[in-house]
Structures are given as structure tokens and as C-alpha cells.
Amino acid sequence: MIHLKYLLNRISSTNSNVLRRNMCSSVEVKSFLRLVYNHAVESVNPMSLMRKELQLEDDCLVTSTNKFRVNKNCYVVGFGKAVIGMAHQVEEILGDHVRGGVLSIPIGQKELFKSLKFKDNSVIKIYEGAKDNIPDEHSEVASNHIKNLATSLRSGDLLLVLISGGGSALLTCPVPPVTLDEKVKVIRLLQNSGASIKELNCVRKRLSQLKGGKLLDLAYPAEVFSFILSDIVDDPLDFIASGPTVPNKDSSDQALNIIQKYSLTNDLPESVKNVLHAPPLLISTPNTGISNLIIGSNRIALHHASIYAIKSGYCSVILSSCVEGLVSKISEVYMDLIILISKAINKEIEETLFLTNISNAIEFLRIDESSVNELVSMLFKSNETKLCLLFGGEPTVRVNGNGTGGRNQQLALEFSNLLETRFSKLPLADSFRVGFVSGGTDGIDGPTDAAGALAYQGQLKNINLNATNFIENNDSYSFFKQLNNGDDLIFTGHTGTNVMDIHVISIEKCGY
């Protein structure tokens, strides 16, 4: 009896220690992931980026690529989630050289960023609109003011255009006879069908009086210089906010082909069909006096996230800033990659076989050769056991249910479910700590107040929630709100920037 009691006490003590270790591990993992995400977002603060790129020297506006003579001849227009901070710095730096301006920003940003004090007699007019990133009558009013300012410019004027993520919804000026409601209907149909951001913007350009280089056309003969925070994979200038200052290179039938790809032709209003079938408007502006400068991007954010991870003791690698596709597929590919990496760390797979088995992930996630080589070196030459893998991009969600959530929360939930149903079943699972965070850099994920969510081993154990049901109903926000009192959600509020999403995977072998 004495030996049995001793043995039971030992088992109880061991179980308690394991529980405490697992609790501590999840807390540490969650804290690390939050901090990596925060550093990524802070690195693309629009005011800091503008101060770095815009200077006034002897009545010359100087950027890293251009120089313009200024003599109270500057005008400012902006649209997007980051432009209020950008415009504030323009006014601070250029002062009375700014003669007029119009900003179209998300609803609520004036209150959120009321600490940004514009001049008492500021000539920059600010309009709010596009609630939940959907064009509305308020953003249409702002866009008409932008259109009117651009058309009033003359030779010798300089138009500074501030562009960031969310700009497409905030620059809404439909081509007649298309109405605002009809244009919104088309975009919603595409979003719910899983169309990519590039596909959305291609259609938006055809239905707009300002996008696809048409703002540039209206501003001629003034010079135009754009400061851009990119929220598009690969940073294509003609797709960021639907390319208002870039001549449109889309083929005449490209937008119509996208509609047909998703079998939406019969759902379109007649006015939209007529515009899509009509020849596109030609841009007549001479291709001179145009400059577009990307000052912030997803890659820049990932770079700073990587620096923080390295300082925190992780071996860090940026694998891709070009992640696209459905979150259901992305979560599966991420899990495939994590399993292979864990096996490599555990000496269960050789380099040649590892490279063969990750070929699908390399292609789908668009991991370039140098990043693959860096990862292989970490695993098979340096024998690293504490890794931070960084990804960025703009995934999509196919909406099948009527729940509440966003692509980042949906991705985190699907990833967590795979940790439980796939990774935890592996013999090596108990030897590793795996964590994941997916967050939007704008701080808002879908029509929710969260930026994203965390996932980690053991998250779904012993809970009274069916993750699969929430996934199928696209109800990730409700799931995470009920789990751990919402502690696994990421809350930042509007960050004032937007360079797509950040995905961070941490993998650590225990006992090292």
C-alpha cells in the first residue's frame, strides 16, 4: 500500500508538472507571437515612413527618387486606411506650400486619430466613409471632391497622391449608368465567390471613373507624385487601390473573364453588363510627369518581424510575402510544412527527401529558392531547433455559412483544428511546441473588432466547442470569443496602416 500510494503521488505530481509546463509553454508562445506581430505592424507606421521619404530643402520637395520645385503649388488627395497619418506629415513638412487637399478615410478614424493635430486653418478636407470596407454614399461624396480637385489643376501644379490599403472602397466613383449599390453588389458577389484581391481590383477599375489611371488623366497637365503603402501581393502599382495613378494595362475583356470565371454573369445588373461589354475608356495622358513610390510593404513588415524574432532567440526566415488562395488550403499546406520541418529537426527525414516533399508547399506559397536554401541550411547544417517562419499575403475565404469572422481568424481556427486532428496524432508531437498567429496589419479582420487570432497546441483540448461546426459556418470570431474569454484574439483597433496580413509560425523542440 505504501508503494502504491507513493507511486500514485508520483504520477499525480508528474501530471501536474506536465500541465504547468504546457500552460507555461502556451503562455510563452502566445506572448512571443503577439510581439512579433506587433513589431511587424509598428515598422510600417505611415507617419514614420513619410518622415523618412519626404523632406523640404530650399523650396524643393525631395524624396528618395525625385525632386520638385515647390512654390505654394502643392495639392494633396488621399484614400485608404493609412492616409490620415501620411497627410498629417505632408502638412507638417510642406506647410503653406499645400494649397488644397481631400482625404477619403474609414469611418471613425478622425476620432481614433484625434491626437493628430492638423493646422487650425488646414486646407485639407477630411471625409469619412466605407464602413466595414464597403463603398457607400459617404465615400462617393469624398471621391467626387477628389475628382473635382484633380480636374481643376493646371500646368505647374503638383498633386501628391497618398494611397494605402482600403483605398479601393474609399475611392468610389462608378461609371454611369452604374450606381453605387450596383457596383457594391458586384464586388460582394466576387468576394463571396473567393475572388482574389487582384481580380476584385480588375473589375473595380472597369467600373470606376478614377481607378485604372483615370485620376492621373484628370489631373493632367499637373505633375503627379504618389506615396504608396502596398496592400497587394507582389506590389503591382496598377493594382494597389486599383491603380488610380498608373495607366491601366488590363486587356479589354479581362474584367468580363473574371465575372465568367465565377459564373456570375446572370447575377449582374444590366448597367454593369453594358459597361463591361463596352470598349474601355482610353487614357490620353502622356506618360510623363508621373512618379509612384512604394514606401511601405508586407516585405518590409516581415523584415522587422524577423529582426525581433532573432533578438528573441529564434532562428528566423521569411519564406514568402506572396501567400494567396483559400485559407482552407493555406492551413493544410502550412501543416504539411510544419510536419516536415519537425521531422527534419527530429532527424527523421533526410535533406533530399525533405526537398522532394516540400515541393508542393514551395509552389503554392511561392517560396523562392534563396528562402528554401536558408531553411534547408537551418535544418540540416546548423541543426536549429527553435524556428520562426514568416509569411505574408492576402488569403481569401469562401463563405458558406452565416457566422461572423474574418480571413485571419478563419485561418487561425482551421490551423488550430489541424494541430489537434493531424499534428497531435504524430509520435513526435509531444516533443515540440508549435504556435501560429494570423493578423491583419490594419487591425481589423472582416466585420469584427479583432485583427486576427492565435493558434497553438492543446488549444482545442477539453473544450465544449465544436471547432469544425464553427469553421463550416464561417463563425471564427464567435468561436474565439467563447474560447478562453477571448484571450486568443488579437485586438489592436485601427492601426492606421495596411500592408496585408502577417502569418507567424513558431516551432521549437522541447528540452533544447
Side-chain angles (χ1 to χ4, degrees):
M1 286 294 294
I2 294 176
H3 293 294
L4 180 59
K5 183 177 181 180
Y6 174 76
L7 181 59
L8 290 172
N9 284 337
R10 290 282 295 174
I11 293 173
S12 176
S13 175
T14 300
N15 287 339
S16 296
N17 288 336
V18 169
L19 179 61
R20 282 194 295 270
R21 185 171 68 250
N22 287 341
M23 289 176 63
C24 179
S25 296
S26 67
V27 170
E28 291 173 354
V29 168
K30 288 161 65 174
S31 176
F32 169 72
L33 293 170
R34 286 180 187 274
L35 288 170
V36 174
Y37 164 78
N38 288 341
H39 275 75
V41 174
E42 289 168 4
S43 72
V44 285
N45 177 283
M47 290 186 289
S48 299
L49 295 172
M50 286 298 292
R51 283 195 296 270
K52 180 180 178 182
E53 285 292 347
L54 175 63
Q55 296 176 16
L56 183 64
E57 298 178 1
D58 298 325
D59 288 334
C60 282
L61 183 159
V62 180
T63 74
S64 58
T65 59
N66 293 73
K67 180 183 288 189
F68 301 93
R69 176 71 62 182
V70 292
N71 183 23
K72 297 184 178 181
N73 60 338
C74 299
Y75 297 82
V76 182
V77 297
F79 28 91
K81 300 173 182 178
V83 300
I84 188 169
M86 297 167 74
H88 180 266
Q89 290 305 302
V90 169
E91 186 179 73
E92 284 280 306
I93 294 167
L94 297 183
D96 291 340
H97 289 296
V98 178
R99 304 299 293 167
V102 180
L103 303 182
S104 180
I105 65 174
I107 283 178
Q109 274 206 344
K110 281 199 283 190
E111 176 63 24
L112 285 169
F113 299 103
K114 59 186 178 183
S115 60
L116 294 178
K117 301 295 185 183
F118 284 80
K119 293 163 55 177
D120 290 338
N121 59 342
S122 178
V123 294
I124 299 176
K125 307 304 180 186
I126 303 175
Y127 299 86
E128 294 185 317
K131 184 179 181 182
D132 295 331
N133 206 33
I134 301 295
D136 56 22
E137 64 275 12
H138 301 293
S139 59
E140 187 174 26
V141 167
S143 300
N144 279 317
H145 283 296
I146 290 173
K147 176 185 172 184
N148 292 337
L149 189 153
T151 57
S152 71
L153 300 179
R154 299 169 298 177
S155 178
D157 290 335
L158 173 62
L159 179 64
L160 302 179
V161 184
L162 313 177
I163 304 173
S164 74
S168 284
L170 289 157
L171 189 68
T172 179
C173 196
V175 174
V178 177
T179 67
L180 175 61
D181 289 342
E182 289 172 335
K183 185 177 179 182
V184 169
K185 177 184 177 180
V186 174
I187 299 306
R188 279 180 171 157
L189 286 169
L190 286 166
Q191 288 173 326
N192 290 340
S193 298
S196 71
I197 189 67
K198 289 184 180 180
E199 290 173 325
L200 287 170
N201 284 351
C202 178
V203 175
R204 283 167 170 154
K205 285 190 281 185
R206 279 303 303 273
L207 300 179
S208 173
Q209 297 184 66
L210 295 173
K211 296 166 182 170
K214 296 166 193 170
L215 175 62
L216 178 66
D217 196 29
L218 293 173
Y220 184 78
E223 288 190 285
V224 178
F225 191 94
S226 299
F227 295 91
I228 303 168
L229 265 70
S230 171
D231 69 330
I232 303 287
V233 168
D234 288 328
D235 306 327
L237 290 172
D238 56 332
F239 277 98
I240 301 169
S242 306
T245 59
V246 182
N248 191 12
K249 298 177 182 178
D250 297 343
S251 63
S252 60
D253 60 350
Q254 194 165 331
L256 189 59
N257 289 340
I258 291 167
I259 295 295
Q260 294 169 345
K261 171 184 175 180
Y262 294 102
S263 303
L264 297 174
T265 303
N266 293 335
D267 298 315
L268 297 185
E270 283 301 316
S271 61
V272 173
K273 291 180 184 178
N274 292 336
V275 170
L276 292 181
H277 281 94
L281 294 174
L282 296 177
I283 302 299
S284 59
T285 301
N287 198 11
T288 58
I290 310 166
S291 298
N292 292 287
L293 177 64
I294 293 178
I295 63 172
S297 67
N298 189 267
R299 193 79 185 183
I300 290 172
L302 292 177
H303 173 72
H304 285 85
S306 182
I307 291 173
Y308 176 79
I310 292 168
K311 289 180 179 179
S312 300
Y314 282 78
C315 196
S316 179
V317 57
I318 299 171
L319 290 180
S320 176
S321 61
C322 305
V323 177
E324 293 182 288
L326 294 171
V327 298
S328 54
K329 175 67 172 177
I330 294 169
S331 60
E332 290 279 1
V333 175
Y334 280 168
M335 187 52 58
D336 292 342
L337 188 59
I338 288 166
I339 290 172
L340 287 169
I341 289 173
S342 299
K343 287 182 177 180
I345 293 173
N346 231 28
K347 310 298 183 186
E348 296 180 20
I349 189 171
E350 295 183 353
E351 181 178 334
T352 303
L353 184 58
F354 175 83
L355 284 170
T356 299
N357 289 348
I358 67 166
S359 59
N360 288 335
I362 291 171
E363 181 180 0
F364 181 75
L365 299 172
R366 295 181 56 191
I367 304 174
D368 62 34
E369 184 178 355
S370 63
S371 298
V372 173
N373 292 338
E374 190 175 353
L375 177 62
V376 168
S377 178
M378 290 175 180
L379 295 172
F380 296 99
K381 294 180 176 62
S382 302
N383 297 314
E384 299 292 344
T385 60
K386 192 174 182 180
L387 273 62
C388 178
L389 314 178
L390 295 164
F391 300 87
E394 188 105 324
T396 53
V397 176
R398 180 170 287 125
V399 178
N400 299 313
N402 57 5
T404 302
R407 61 178 181 259
N408 288 286
Q409 295 160 76
Q410 183 83 8
L411 178 56
L413 180 53
E414 296 206 27
F415 184 92
S416 184
N417 198 44
L418 291 173
L419 276 175
E420 182 64 25
T421 59
R422 287 186 59 190
F423 191 81
S424 68
K425 310 302 182 187
L426 300 174
L428 58 72
D430 289 339
S431 301
F432 285 86
R433 297 192 307 179
V434 176
F436 175 71
V437 65
S438 180
T441 53
D442 61 354
I444 302 298
D445 186 34
T448 77
D449 58 351
L454 297 151
Y456 48 89
Q457 281 167 278
Q459 187 180 35
L460 304 187
K461 282 188 180 296
N462 303 318
I463 61 173
N464 295 319
L465 298 169
N466 188 318
T468 301
N469 289 345
F470 283 88
I471 289 170
E472 292 176 350
N473 195 36
N474 300 113
D475 203 17
S476 53
Y477 180 76
S478 300
F479 177 88
F480 284 113
K481 283 288 281 187
Q482 295 175 54
L483 180 72
N484 301 330
N485 294 317
D487 188 57
D488 295 339
L489 285 166
I490 304 292
F491 291 105
T492 63
H494 287 280
T495 61
T497 192
N498 185 19
V499 293
M500 301 187 291
D501 300 339
I502 301 294
H503 304 161
V504 186
I505 299 172
S506 64
I507 307 173
E508 180 180 2
K509 185 167 184 179
C510 302
Y512 281 76

